[in-house]
């Protein structure tokens, strides 16, 4: 069985103490090549990582001495092979000559070419007389030499099992000598051999053979590469630095994890103090104190699923030194007179012997003094001007990470105002030009800079900016002065008077009205003057409309001239000075003749309501104020001299016509108002008809006195509404029967309130049934309780008489007294229908001196059959059984319960009467509540009109 050959190139490593390696690729020690062929052999090193650079040199070894074989720097043998030679690869670091390493020796051999021959042994002719050569089989040296591997090669993992290696050759005579090579070294001299699955047996296998024809071995034309896979072993960690010392600062430390594994390890873990920091084969760390500690590594490959930890660890201790400036504050501001602070010091943080040394203190990068660790950087003395600045601490070239700033406060001593870098005082006069400005600077000697404030005319103008730009605008004229504030107090500059000249601006007339008034044949109320904003001062001229010549000069219109005119005139003023455009006119004003106040009116407060407070306010337009007020009521003086006429409690007598007379500077005028006091209605009646016999007419005559007019309602069983009435009114009520008895109430309501009038007539009437129990079409049975209730009315009181006509007789019988309950206006009949003789017609008779009335009630049982006594009346039992018709023959058990039912029924009737009386009472109370509700609705409407502000406050604007 043919087994495939799995080949793998292995790298043979040689490590130096500095971490540099030199490897030969392919990883063998013996090579065979044909003459004139360039060997494909390379030297590799770790120099290429991390931007390092190495030099390569191939050296030949002969007689235990070496000489340069290839002169140029080349990692590959690029010279054709001419002879057998033993070589070494020599690797050196380009910048560190002390870092160098040799590879292991390799042997390079030249392969010889072999030819075979055949010797003729006979010469004869064939049948055609043609010559032929008859040869015998030739002998030849070995050829077609190959090497093959057999056996358990599918699983090339280190462990149990064997691999067979056989050398095959074409030889005549047979090959009698063999050589099997492993990585160029003879391991066996037989045709075949067996090797174990051990990593040391990995490599390239070749063979050679010879026979008696040749004295030299002929090598196989092929190789067999055997790669035994195994999990990582010999895991180790190493490091090297770009500089010898491990001092904190610039530079790096390289850390590499090395492992023997096949196939190559593809996963690594590098640990720092037990924590994974990298998952590659190598890493680079900075020279920082935080990177001090113990480093270990682990590796694995596809053969093993577990990491194999390194058998060693490296401890890296990075030396460091730090100078620290310690202070409670980063900066401190003090005055010249203060002492230097003593709580600012420096100390050293380091981890190697002898690192605690003197500390240099620098101020603004200049040497200040030298101190010991934890000593104050300042001397124990008062502050000098030279002490201000920024301080740091230094040890060697290392500077403290933080600094301390000492700020010295002083000044000001003097303050001055500069213009164009020249000190100025006195006056600055410029013409108005808002597009230009006058820049002034406030200068003072302060450290830190003083706070500057500018004042104009003694008032603060600006603060903070030492430069003020005064716009050449008329509004900016004034006296300017600056003030500098510092630790030594405040100092003001000299005053600078800035004057901006400008032509007349808006010309104004005082007072500011457009129309002025004068008394008829008198003077104006106020002096009328003309003013204009102008620098220098203006002159003034007055002109009257319609006249080209001037009316007068000076700023007062009537200072030198009196106004004689009785009609109105218009005037205006001209202001002039020496600045272009030189002059400007005022607006036109009108002077009129006036004879008193305007718009005299009387304004009332809320509607005038009886018993409430009320005011009349006299309103008038008086120029320069009203001088006096006088009040009159219906032409009579009220001796009131105030603007507001107050009424604390109005009465009907306060109604009438009011006049307010107002006097001002120009004369007297009056205003008028007619007031009507509102009051709630009062109802009276000139008649009092107490007795009336129905049917008849009841004359209700009443007088309603109220303002405004009232809505009148007459209450009895129905409502009668009479809108908007006042005065005397008669209303006839038709009295038909006793149903018209009761109280008659007249109620009047207006915007102020309501009033009522009650009348209870004595109505005489014949009896009338108001309501009764409904037994029509009702069927009874023997043993039922009969309860007949009749409510009636009569005046005088009616006489009550109950009678009974049985269903089977025509004779009227008297009802027993104990079965009748009679009150003033009601009667009740209560009995038990103990047998059929109780069925029939019950008759109620009511009578008094004015008449009588009868009411019949038919009590019947179920209809079953007609009898001979009364064909129109039928009685039947509601229930039937085998004993016959019980309605015709009452049973004894029904008689036993008659007394009990009668007692319960009487109790029930009494409770019903009481309930009826309570219902009537509730109805009357409901009528009263409705009247009260109407009253309060009207009262609320009145209050809303009188005091709308209070209503908004209580109920809100919504």
């Amino acid at each position: 069985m043919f087994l495939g050959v799995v080949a793998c190139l292995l790298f043979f490593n040689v490590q130096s103490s500095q971490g540099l390696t030199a490897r030969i690729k392919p990883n063998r020690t013996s090579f065979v090549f044909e003459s004139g062929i360039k060997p494909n052999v390379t030297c590799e090193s770790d120099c290429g990582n991390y931007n390092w650079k190495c030099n390569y040199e191939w050296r030949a070894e002969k007689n235990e001495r070496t000489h340069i074989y290839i002169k140029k720097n080349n990692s590959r043998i690029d010279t054709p092979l001419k002879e057998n030679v033993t070589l070494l690869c020599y690797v050196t670091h380009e910048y560190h000559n002390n870092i160098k390493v040799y590879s292991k020796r390799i042997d390079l051999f030249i392969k010889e070419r072999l030819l075979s021959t055949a010797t003729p042994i006979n010469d004869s002719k064939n049948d055609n007389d043609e010559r032929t050569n008859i040869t015998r089989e030739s002998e030849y040296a070995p050829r077609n030499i190959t090497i093959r591997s057999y056996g358990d090669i599918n699983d090339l993992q280190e462990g149990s099992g064997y691999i067979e290696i056989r050398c095959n050759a074409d030889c005549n005579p047979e090959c009698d000598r063999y050589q099997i090579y492993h990585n160029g070294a003879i391991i066996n001299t037989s045709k075949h051999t067996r090797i174990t699955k051990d990593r040391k047996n990995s490599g390239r296998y070749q063979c050679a053979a010879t026979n008696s024809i040749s004295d030299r071995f002929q090598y196989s034309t092929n190789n067999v590469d055997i790669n035994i896979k195994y999990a990582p072993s010999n895991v180790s960690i190493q490091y090297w630095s770009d500089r010898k010392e491990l001092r904190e600062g610039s530079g790096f430390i390289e850390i590499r994890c090395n492992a023997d594994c096949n196939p190559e390890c593809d996963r690594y873990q590098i640990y720092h103090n037990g924590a994974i920091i990298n998952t590659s084969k190598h890493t680079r760390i900075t020279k920082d104190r935080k990177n001090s500690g113990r480093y270990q590594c682990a590796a694995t490959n596809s053969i093993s699923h577990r990491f194999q930890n390194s058998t060693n660890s490296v401890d890296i201790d990075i030396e460091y030194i730090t100078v620290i400036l310690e202070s409670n504050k980063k900066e401190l501001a003090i005055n010249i007179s203060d002492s230097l602070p003593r709580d600012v010091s420096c100390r050293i943080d380091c981890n190697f012997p002898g690192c605690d040394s003197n500390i240099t203190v620098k101020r603004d990068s200049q040497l200040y003094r030298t101190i010991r660790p934890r000593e104050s950087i300042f001397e124990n003395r008062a502050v000098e001007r030279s002490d201000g600045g920024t301080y740091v601490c230094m040890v060697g070239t290392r500077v403290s990470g933080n600094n301390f700033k000492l700020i010295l406060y002083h000044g000001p001593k003097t303050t001055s105002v500069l213009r164009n870098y020249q000190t100025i005082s006195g006056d600055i006069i410029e013409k108005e030009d808002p597009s230009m400005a006058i820049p002034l600077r406030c200068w003072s000697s302060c450290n830190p800079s003083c706070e500057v404030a500018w004042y104009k005319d003694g008032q603060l103008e600006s603060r903070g900016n030492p430069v003020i730009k005064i716009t050449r605008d008329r509004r900016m004229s004034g006296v300017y002065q600056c003030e500098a504030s510092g630790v030594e107090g405040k100092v003001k500059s000299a005053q600078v008077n800035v004057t901006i000249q400008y032509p007349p601006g808006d010309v104004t007339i005082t007072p500011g009205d457009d129309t002025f008034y004068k008394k008829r044949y008198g003077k104006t109320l106020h002096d009328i003057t003309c003013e204009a904003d102008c620098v220098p001062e203006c002159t003034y001229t007055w002109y009257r409309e319609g006249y080209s010549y001037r009316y007068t000069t000076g700023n007062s219109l009537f200072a030198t001239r009196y106004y004689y005119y009785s009609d109105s005139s218009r005037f205006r003023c001209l202001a002039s000075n020496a600045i272009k455009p030189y002059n400007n006119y005022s607006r036109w004003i009108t002077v009129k003749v006036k004879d008193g106040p305007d718009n005299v009116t009387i304004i009332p407060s809320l509607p005038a309501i009886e018993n409430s407070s009320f005011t009349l306010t006299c309103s008038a337009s008086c120029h320069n104020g009203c001088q006096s007020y006088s009040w009159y009521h219906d032409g009579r003086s009220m001796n009131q001299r105030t603007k507001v006429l107050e009424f604390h409690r109005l009465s009907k007598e306060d109604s009438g016509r009011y006049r307010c007379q107002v006097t001002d500077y120009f004369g007297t005028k009056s205003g008028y108002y007619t007031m009507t006091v509102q009051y709630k209605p009062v109802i009276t009646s000139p008649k009092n008809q107490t007795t009336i016999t129905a049917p008849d007419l009841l004359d209700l005559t009443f007088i309603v006195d109220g303002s405004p007019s009232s809505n009148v309602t007459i209450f009895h069983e129905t409502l009668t509404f009479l809108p908007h009435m006042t005065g005397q009114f008669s209303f006839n009520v038709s009295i038909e029967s006793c149903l018209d008895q009761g109280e008659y109430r007249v109620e009047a309501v207006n915007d102020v309130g309501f009033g009522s009038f009650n009348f209870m007539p004595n109505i005489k009437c014949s009896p009338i049934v108001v309501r009764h129990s409904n037994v029509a079409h009702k069927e009874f049975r023997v043993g039922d309780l009969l309860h007949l209730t009749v409510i009636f009315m009569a005046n005088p009181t009616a006489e009550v008489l109950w009678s009974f006509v049985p269903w089977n007789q025509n004779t009227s019988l008297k009802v027993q007294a104990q079965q009748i309950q009679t009150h003033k206006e009601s009667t009740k009949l209560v009995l038990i229908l103990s047998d059929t003789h109780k069925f029939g017609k019950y008759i109620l008779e009511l009578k008094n001196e004015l008449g009588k009335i009868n009411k019949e009630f038919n009590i019947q049982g179920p209809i079953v059959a007609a009898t001979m006594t009364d064909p129109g009346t039928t009685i039947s039992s509601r229930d039937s059984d085998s004993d016959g018709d019980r309605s015709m023959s009452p049973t004894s058990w029904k008689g036993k319960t008659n007394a009990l039912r009668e007692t319960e029924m009487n109790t029930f009737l009494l409770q019903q009467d009481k309930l009826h009386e309570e219902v009537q009472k509730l109805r009357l109370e409901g009528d009263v509540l409705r009247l009260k509700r109407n009253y309060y609705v009207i009262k609320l409407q009145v209050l809303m009109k009188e005091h709308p502000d209070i209503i908004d406050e209580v109920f809100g604007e919504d």
Side-chain angles (χ1 to χ4, degrees), residues 33 102 308 591 596 604 862:
F33 302 94
Y102 279 98
Q308 182 68 33
V591 178

Side-chain angles (χ1 to χ4, degrees), residues 33 169 209 251 284 300 383 497 502 621 642 722 733 751 785 865 880 940:
F33 302 94
R284 170 187 286 183
T300 186
V383 176
N497 188 12
Y502 50 89
S621 297
T642 59
L722 303 175
V733 179
D751 293 341
L785 179 64
S880 62
L940 178 59

Side-chain angles (χ1 to χ4, degrees), residues 477-513:
S477 294
V479 177
Y480 287 83
Q481 188 178 32
C482 77
E483 179 184 71
S485 302
V487 296
E488 297 185 63
K490 298 180 179 180
V491 177
K492 284 188 176 182
S493 68
Q495 293 183 345
V496 177
N497 188 12
V498 177
T499 301
I500 307 297
Q501 295 182 340
Y502 50 89
D506 293 336
V507 182
T508 60
I509 294 178
T510 306
D513 300 326

